[in-house]
Amino acid sequence: MAKEQVFIFDTTLRDGEQVPGCQLNTIEKIEVARALEELGVDIIEAGFPISSPGDFNSVVEISKVITEPVICALTRAVKQDIEVAAESLKFAKRPRIHTGIGTSYYHIYHKLNSNPEAIVERGVEAVKYAKSFVEDVEFYAEDAGRSDNKYLARVIEAVIDAGATVVNIPDTTGYTLPDEYGKKIRYLKEHVRNIDRAIISTHCHNDLGMATANTMSGVINGARQVEVTINGIGERAGNTSLEEVAMILKSRKHLDLQTRINAKKIYRTSRLVSTLMRMPVQPNKAIVGRNAFAHSSGIHQDGVLKRRENYEIINPRTVGINESSILLTARSGRAALKHRLEKLGYSFTREALDRIYDKFLELADSKKEIVDEDLKVLAGSSARDIKRNLHLHHLQVLCGKGTTPVATVHIEWDGTTHSATAEGNGPVDASINAVKSILNKKVRIEEFLIQAITRGSDDLGKVHMQVEHKGVVYYGFSASTDIITASVEAFIDAMSQVVKLSGS
């Protein structure tokens, strides 16, 4: 039996961009749109053209460069909105206008100051007008989650008769429970006379933490399009997460449903959106969080080392992550310690490992996490071997408005001082470029996070950096009131491990 298709409608560039501080310029939006196309999304909601000249221009430019996905533009049920959306989509190979109106008691009477009859008429008129510009028209019934099912069915039937090809049933406020939302979708499937002429779409918000659960309940009950965002970003508490839905459908094969998502590109796309929108992914975020495939409990570590499936339902490589992380803490067991020591090139008898484990527990009680340098001490390495062989002695940066950032660094490398000067896109980039020119190692920064530790103008910033070299990831940390210095120190901390393990 062939699997049914679930269409992925990505609204990262529209609903996702409504997050305060996450606005993108047109060039950045095009970069995200191209990544979404490579990821395999079916529809890209590129913006709300009437909202600003920048949004209009972004839809135009995205339409020019994207070939496979449908390009969608959002409107209200207003003629001018629809006209502007149609104009913005003139270069789209597969254009869609997404128009709609509120259908709940709150929206009808308190937002729109209208009545149920007028809302039906406005919805029908909007769809018909949009249909005069494009063939593919999606209608959204805003706040459908709190709308009366009988009235909602009436609205949906009317707009399908008017030409809607997709009908969107948003849980705009994230209020419904999965059972309620699923029953709402099922009610429409069973009570809308012409529902077979349109695709039902979900659009769920995460105000009560149930966006993904509601979306899946909608799909199980007949919806075949899901409206999602990368990393679950969006208005207020966010939207349904693309990566979560995609991997649920991939993992739960008994549902006989599939998407076109190339799962191996999920992690890369997640990091791109996080970087461009300056919105770090929470460490415990499902699928793409730093801890999604990390294990620190001794019981879990032992189990996952024996067989990954004991504690992982998804192979991290499936979503583009190299491997699981075995983190050493006071909760770790002998199996994890032995595994990490062997990766560092050490081998011990059972008795010797027991002695090292006792010392390990003592150290782990006083530190949050044990790193490789600590293990080398426990394993009996000399102080010379464990001493970091790279040190930042001097950093000078010239930057400012209208000035190309230039950085000069002086680094002590195995007792010898090396200097270099480089330019960059900013002070941190220039400084890191200077360090790279000294070390001459081909590396890629996988993650760069800055976290405030204290408060005030003299805030202490903690920097965490992940650097990839020849398929291996190295971690660097630093803290300083000078965030540029902390960033360079964190990079050097990671690079110290690279040069030590790969040779000078």
PDB file of all heavy atoms in Angstrom, residues 6-30:
ATOM      1  N   VAL A   6       1.929  13.886   3.033  1.00  0.00           N
ATOM      2  CA  VAL A   6       1.596  15.011   3.894  1.00  0.00           C
ATOM      3  C   VAL A   6       2.445  16.184   3.420  1.00  0.00           C
ATOM      4  O   VAL A   6       3.674  16.105   3.390  1.00  0.00           O
ATOM      5  CB  VAL A   6       1.892  14.714   5.382  1.00  0.00           C
ATOM      6  CG1 VAL A   6       1.670  15.963   6.233  1.00  0.00           C
ATOM      7  CG2 VAL A   6       1.018  13.571   5.883  1.00  0.00           C
ATOM      8  N   PHE A   7       1.798  17.266   3.006  1.00  0.00           N
ATOM      9  CA  PHE A   7       2.506  18.409   2.441  1.00  0.00           C
ATOM     10  C   PHE A   7       3.042  19.307   3.566  1.00  0.00           C
ATOM     11  O   PHE A   7       2.319  19.636   4.503  1.00  0.00           O
ATOM     12  CB  PHE A   7       1.574  19.208   1.521  1.00  0.00           C
ATOM     13  CG  PHE A   7       1.131  18.423   0.305  1.00  0.00           C
ATOM     14  CD1 PHE A   7      -0.094  17.764   0.306  1.00  0.00           C
ATOM     15  CD2 PHE A   7       1.949  18.322  -0.803  1.00  0.00           C
ATOM     16  CE1 PHE A   7      -0.495  17.029  -0.798  1.00  0.00           C
ATOM     17  CE2 PHE A   7       1.562  17.591  -1.910  1.00  0.00           C
ATOM     18  CZ  PHE A   7       0.332  16.938  -1.911  1.00  0.00           C
ATOM     19  N   ILE A   8       4.303  19.706   3.426  1.00  0.00           N
ATOM     20  CA  ILE A   8       4.953  20.553   4.421  1.00  0.00           C
ATOM     21  C   ILE A   8       4.901  22.001   3.952  1.00  0.00           C
ATOM     22  O   ILE A   8       5.516  22.379   2.968  1.00  0.00           O
ATOM     23  CB  ILE A   8       6.407  20.126   4.653  1.00  0.00           C
ATOM     24  CG1 ILE A   8       6.479  18.662   5.119  1.00  0.00           C
ATOM     25  CG2 ILE A   8       7.080  21.053   5.657  1.00  0.00           C
ATOM     26  CD1 ILE A   8       5.853  18.408   6.474  1.00  0.00           C
ATOM     27  N   PHE A   9       4.147  22.799   4.701  1.00  0.00           N
ATOM     28  CA  PHE A   9       3.983  24.239   4.442  1.00  0.00           C
ATOM     29  C   PHE A   9       4.839  24.954   5.482  1.00  0.00           C
ATOM     30  O   PHE A   9       4.523  24.969   6.662  1.00  0.00           O
ATOM     31  CB  PHE A   9       2.493  24.591   4.598  1.00  0.00           C
ATOM     32  CG  PHE A   9       2.127  26.036   4.428  1.00  0.00           C
ATOM     33  CD1 PHE A   9       1.319  26.439   3.370  1.00  0.00           C
ATOM     34  CD2 PHE A   9       2.513  26.993   5.347  1.00  0.00           C
ATOM     35  CE1 PHE A   9       0.933  27.759   3.223  1.00  0.00           C
ATOM     36  CE2 PHE A   9       2.138  28.314   5.216  1.00  0.00           C
ATOM     37  CZ  PHE A   9       1.349  28.700   4.149  1.00  0.00           C
ATOM     38  N   ASP A  10       5.956  25.537   5.036  1.00  0.00           N
ATOM     39  CA  ASP A  10       6.865  26.185   5.985  1.00  0.00           C
ATOM     40  C   ASP A  10       6.600  27.683   6.051  1.00  0.00           C
ATOM     41  O   ASP A  10       6.633  28.376   5.036  1.00  0.00           O
ATOM     42  CB  ASP A  10       8.318  25.949   5.574  1.00  0.00           C
ATOM     43  CG  ASP A  10       9.269  26.521   6.619  1.00  0.00           C
ATOM     44  OD1 ASP A  10       9.546  27.738   6.543  1.00  0.00           O
ATOM     45  OD2 ASP A  10       9.712  25.776   7.510  1.00  0.00           O
ATOM     46  N   THR A  11       6.359  28.176   7.248  1.00  0.00           N
ATOM     47  CA  THR A  11       6.068  29.591   7.440  1.00  0.00           C
ATOM     48  C   THR A  11       7.129  30.289   8.300  1.00  0.00           C
ATOM     49  O   THR A  11       6.859  31.272   8.977  1.00  0.00           O
ATOM     50  CB  THR A  11       4.644  29.799   8.023  1.00  0.00           C
ATOM     51  OG1 THR A  11       4.346  31.190   8.090  1.00  0.00           O
ATOM     52  CG2 THR A  11       4.510  29.148   9.393  1.00  0.00           C
ATOM     53  N   THR A  12       8.362  29.751   8.262  1.00  0.00           N
ATOM     54  CA  THR A  12       9.480  30.370   8.982  1.00  0.00           C
ATOM     55  C   THR A  12       9.675  31.821   8.573  1.00  0.00           C
ATOM     56  O   THR A  12       9.941  32.696   9.410  1.00  0.00           O
ATOM     57  CB  THR A  12      10.782  29.584   8.727  1.00  0.00           C
ATOM     58  OG1 THR A  12      10.611  28.235   9.165  1.00  0.00           O
ATOM     59  CG2 THR A  12      11.957  30.217   9.455  1.00  0.00           C
ATOM     60  N   LEU A  13       9.513  32.102   7.279  1.00  0.00           N
ATOM     61  CA  LEU A  13       9.766  33.449   6.762  1.00  0.00           C
ATOM     62  C   LEU A  13       8.589  34.395   6.951  1.00  0.00           C
ATOM     63  O   LEU A  13       8.700  35.579   6.636  1.00  0.00           O
ATOM     64  CB  LEU A  13      10.130  33.371   5.274  1.00  0.00           C
ATOM     65  CG  LEU A  13      11.441  32.654   4.967  1.00  0.00           C
ATOM     66  CD1 LEU A  13      11.648  32.528   3.473  1.00  0.00           C
ATOM     67  CD2 LEU A  13      12.612  33.384   5.612  1.00  0.00           C
ATOM     68  N   ARG A  14       7.481  33.894   7.470  1.00  0.00           N
ATOM     69  CA  ARG A  14       6.327  34.756   7.719  1.00  0.00           C
ATOM     70  C   ARG A  14       5.962  34.719   9.200  1.00  0.00           C
ATOM     71  O   ARG A  14       6.284  35.618   9.952  1.00  0.00           O
ATOM     72  CB  ARG A  14       5.149  34.340   6.809  1.00  0.00           C
ATOM     73  CG  ARG A  14       4.093  35.437   6.639  1.00  0.00           C
ATOM     74  CD  ARG A  14       3.121  35.525   7.794  1.00  0.00           C
ATOM     75  NE  ARG A  14       2.360  34.299   7.987  1.00  0.00           N
ATOM     76  CZ  ARG A  14       1.593  34.066   9.047  1.00  0.00           C
ATOM     77  NH1 ARG A  14       1.509  34.975  10.026  1.00  0.00           N
ATOM     78  NH2 ARG A  14       0.927  32.931   9.177  1.00  0.00           N
ATOM     79  N   ASP A  15       5.391  33.641   9.674  1.00  0.00           N
ATOM     80  CA  ASP A  15       5.018  33.555  11.090  1.00  0.00           C
ATOM     81  C   ASP A  15       6.267  33.492  11.969  1.00  0.00           C
ATOM     82  O   ASP A  15       6.333  34.112  13.036  1.00  0.00           O
ATOM     83  CB  ASP A  15       4.152  32.319  11.338  1.00  0.00           C
ATOM     84  CG  ASP A  15       3.183  32.516  12.495  1.00  0.00           C
ATOM     85  OD1 ASP A  15       3.483  33.318  13.388  1.00  0.00           O
ATOM     86  OD2 ASP A  15       2.121  31.872  12.494  1.00  0.00           O
ATOM     87  N   GLY A  16       7.285  32.766  11.513  1.00  0.00           N
ATOM     88  CA  GLY A  16       8.523  32.669  12.280  1.00  0.00           C
ATOM     89  C   GLY A  16       9.221  34.001  12.429  1.00  0.00           C
ATOM     90  O   GLY A  16       9.819  34.296  13.465  1.00  0.00           O
ATOM     91  N   GLU A  17       9.137  34.828  11.397  1.00  0.00           N
ATOM     92  CA  GLU A  17       9.830  36.115  11.419  1.00  0.00           C
ATOM     93  C   GLU A  17       9.106  37.145  12.282  1.00  0.00           C
ATOM     94  O   GLU A  17       9.620  38.242  12.505  1.00  0.00           O
ATOM     95  CB  GLU A  17       9.975  36.637   9.989  1.00  0.00           C
ATOM     96  CG  GLU A  17      11.212  37.481   9.791  1.00  0.00           C
ATOM     97  CD  GLU A  17      11.014  38.600   8.789  1.00  0.00           C
ATOM     98  OE1 GLU A  17       9.874  38.814   8.325  1.00  0.00           O
ATOM     99  OE2 GLU A  17      11.984  39.286   8.489  1.00  0.00           O
ATOM    100  N   GLN A  18       7.929  36.798  12.778  1.00  0.00           N
ATOM    101  CA  GLN A  18       7.198  37.712  13.644  1.00  0.00           C
ATOM    102  C   GLN A  18       7.752  37.722  15.076  1.00  0.00           C
ATOM    103  O   GLN A  18       7.303  38.497  15.915  1.00  0.00           O
ATOM    104  CB  GLN A  18       5.709  37.340  13.663  1.00  0.00           C
ATOM    105  CG  GLN A  18       5.024  37.607  12.334  1.00  0.00           C
ATOM    106  CD  GLN A  18       3.567  37.166  12.269  1.00  0.00           C
ATOM    107  OE1 GLN A  18       2.996  37.052  11.202  1.00  0.00           O
ATOM    108  NE2 GLN A  18       2.960  36.900  13.408  1.00  0.00           N
ATOM    109  N   VAL A  19       8.729  36.855  15.347  1.00  0.00           N
ATOM    110  CA  VAL A  19       9.368  36.854  16.663  1.00  0.00           C
ATOM    111  C   VAL A  19      10.164  38.149  16.822  1.00  0.00           C
ATOM    112  O   VAL A  19      10.951  38.501  15.935  1.00  0.00           O
ATOM    113  CB  VAL A  19      10.311  35.646  16.808  1.00  0.00           C
ATOM    114  CG1 VAL A  19      11.041  35.697  18.152  1.00  0.00           C
ATOM    115  CG2 VAL A  19       9.536  34.348  16.664  1.00  0.00           C
ATOM    116  N   PRO A  20       9.969  38.881  17.906  1.00  0.00           N
ATOM    117  CA  PRO A  20      10.728  40.127  18.101  1.00  0.00           C
ATOM    118  C   PRO A  20      12.234  39.898  18.010  1.00  0.00           C
ATOM    119  O   PRO A  20      12.771  38.987  18.635  1.00  0.00           O
ATOM    120  CB  PRO A  20      10.324  40.562  19.518  1.00  0.00           C
ATOM    121  CG  PRO A  20       8.973  39.948  19.722  1.00  0.00           C
ATOM    122  CD  PRO A  20       9.011  38.643  18.997  1.00  0.00           C
ATOM    123  N   GLY A  21      12.907  40.721  17.200  1.00  0.00           N
ATOM    124  CA  GLY A  21      14.351  40.626  17.054  1.00  0.00           C
ATOM    125  C   GLY A  21      14.832  39.618  16.039  1.00  0.00           C
ATOM    126  O   GLY A  21      16.037  39.455  15.843  1.00  0.00           O
ATOM    127  N   CYS A  22      13.919  38.929  15.367  1.00  0.00           N
ATOM    128  CA  CYS A  22      14.311  37.871  14.425  1.00  0.00           C
ATOM    129  C   CYS A  22      14.091  38.265  12.962  1.00  0.00           C
ATOM    130  O   CYS A  22      14.067  37.403  12.087  1.00  0.00           O
ATOM    131  CB  CYS A  22      13.543  36.585  14.720  1.00  0.00           C
ATOM    132  SG  CYS A  22      14.072  35.789  16.250  1.00  0.00           S
ATOM    133  N   GLN A  23      13.919  39.555  12.689  1.00  0.00           N
ATOM    134  CA  GLN A  23      13.647  39.978  11.321  1.00  0.00           C
ATOM    135  C   GLN A  23      14.879  39.763  10.435  1.00  0.00           C
ATOM    136  O   GLN A  23      16.017  39.950  10.863  1.00  0.00           O
ATOM    137  CB  GLN A  23      13.235  41.459  11.290  1.00  0.00           C
ATOM    138  CG  GLN A  23      11.824  41.707  11.788  1.00  0.00           C
ATOM    139  CD  GLN A  23      11.655  41.421  13.273  1.00  0.00           C
ATOM    140  OE1 GLN A  23      12.502  41.784  14.074  1.00  0.00           O
ATOM    141  NE2 GLN A  23      10.583  40.743  13.642  1.00  0.00           N
ATOM    142  N   LEU A  24      14.626  39.371   9.201  1.00  0.00           N
ATOM    143  CA  LEU A  24      15.679  39.118   8.227  1.00  0.00           C
ATOM    144  C   LEU A  24      15.590  40.123   7.094  1.00  0.00           C
ATOM    145  O   LEU A  24      14.503  40.611   6.775  1.00  0.00           O
ATOM    146  CB  LEU A  24      15.542  37.707   7.640  1.00  0.00           C
ATOM    147  CG  LEU A  24      15.550  36.523   8.612  1.00  0.00           C
ATOM    148  CD1 LEU A  24      15.318  35.230   7.844  1.00  0.00           C
ATOM    149  CD2 LEU A  24      16.870  36.459   9.367  1.00  0.00           C
ATOM    150  N   ASN A  25      16.738  40.409   6.458  1.00  0.00           N
ATOM    151  CA  ASN A  25      16.685  41.219   5.247  1.00  0.00           C
ATOM    152  C   ASN A  25      16.434  40.316   4.051  1.00  0.00           C
ATOM    153  O   ASN A  25      16.404  39.073   4.183  1.00  0.00           O
ATOM    154  CB  ASN A  25      17.964  42.043   5.073  1.00  0.00           C
ATOM    155  CG  ASN A  25      19.217  41.184   4.971  1.00  0.00           C
ATOM    156  OD1 ASN A  25      19.210  40.129   4.333  1.00  0.00           O
ATOM    157  ND2 ASN A  25      20.303  41.636   5.589  1.00  0.00           N
ATOM    158  N   THR A  26      16.274  40.885   2.880  1.00  0.00           N
ATOM    159  CA  THR A  26      15.903  40.098   1.699  1.00  0.00           C
ATOM    160  C   THR A  26      16.956  39.054   1.360  1.00  0.00           C
ATOM    161  O   THR A  26      16.618  37.905   1.028  1.00  0.00           O
ATOM    162  CB  THR A  26      15.668  41.030   0.498  1.00  0.00           C
ATOM    163  OG1 THR A  26      14.567  41.903   0.800  1.00  0.00           O
ATOM    164  CG2 THR A  26      15.339  40.229  -0.762  1.00  0.00           C
ATOM    165  N   ILE A  27      18.231  39.414   1.434  1.00  0.00           N
ATOM    166  CA  ILE A  27      19.309  38.468   1.124  1.00  0.00           C
ATOM    167  C   ILE A  27      19.256  37.268   2.069  1.00  0.00           C
ATOM    168  O   ILE A  27      19.395  36.111   1.636  1.00  0.00           O
ATOM    169  CB  ILE A  27      20.690  39.157   1.221  1.00  0.00           C
ATOM    170  CG1 ILE A  27      20.777  40.327   0.236  1.00  0.00           C
ATOM    171  CG2 ILE A  27      21.805  38.150   0.951  1.00  0.00           C
ATOM    172  CD1 ILE A  27      20.607  39.943  -1.211  1.00  0.00           C
ATOM    173  N   GLU A  28      19.036  37.534   3.354  1.00  0.00           N
ATOM    174  CA  GLU A  28      18.957  36.450   4.327  1.00  0.00           C
ATOM    175  C   GLU A  28      17.732  35.573   4.080  1.00  0.00           C
ATOM    176  O   GLU A  28      17.793  34.345   4.210  1.00  0.00           O
ATOM    177  CB  GLU A  28      18.925  37.028   5.740  1.00  0.00           C
ATOM    178  CG  GLU A  28      20.231  37.690   6.165  1.00  0.00           C
ATOM    179  CD  GLU A  28      20.118  38.477   7.452  1.00  0.00           C
ATOM    180  OE1 GLU A  28      19.014  39.015   7.724  1.00  0.00           O
ATOM    181  OE2 GLU A  28      21.111  38.572   8.181  1.00  0.00           O
ATOM    182  N   LYS A  29      16.609  36.205   3.695  1.00  0.00           N
ATOM    183  CA  LYS A  29      15.402  35.427   3.414  1.00  0.00           C
ATOM    184  C   LYS A  29      15.608  34.506   2.215  1.00  0.00           C
ATOM    185  O   LYS A  29      15.134  33.363   2.203  1.00  0.00           O
ATOM    186  CB  LYS A  29      14.216  36.367   3.166  1.00  0.00           C
ATOM    187  CG  LYS A  29      13.678  37.034   4.421  1.00  0.00           C
ATOM    188  CD  LYS A  29      12.429  37.834   4.109  1.00  0.00           C
ATOM    189  CE  LYS A  29      11.861  38.470   5.367  1.00  0.00           C
ATOM    190  NZ  LYS A  29      10.615  39.222   5.121  1.00  0.00           N
ATOM    191  N   ILE A  30      16.304  34.992   1.216  1.00  0.00           N
ATOM    192  CA  ILE A  30      16.580  34.163   0.040  1.00  0.00           C
ATOM    193  C   ILE A  30      17.452  32.967   0.443  1.00  0.00           C
ATOM    194  O   ILE A  30      17.229  31.836  -0.019  1.00  0.00           O
ATOM    195  CB  ILE A  30      17.271  34.996  -1.059  1.00  0.00           C
ATOM    196  CG1 ILE A  30      16.271  35.992  -1.664  1.00  0.00           C
ATOM    197  CG2 ILE A  30      17.840  34.093  -2.156  1.00  0.00           C
ATOM    198  CD1 ILE A  30      16.893  36.991  -2.614  1.00  0.00           C
TER     199      ILE A  30
END
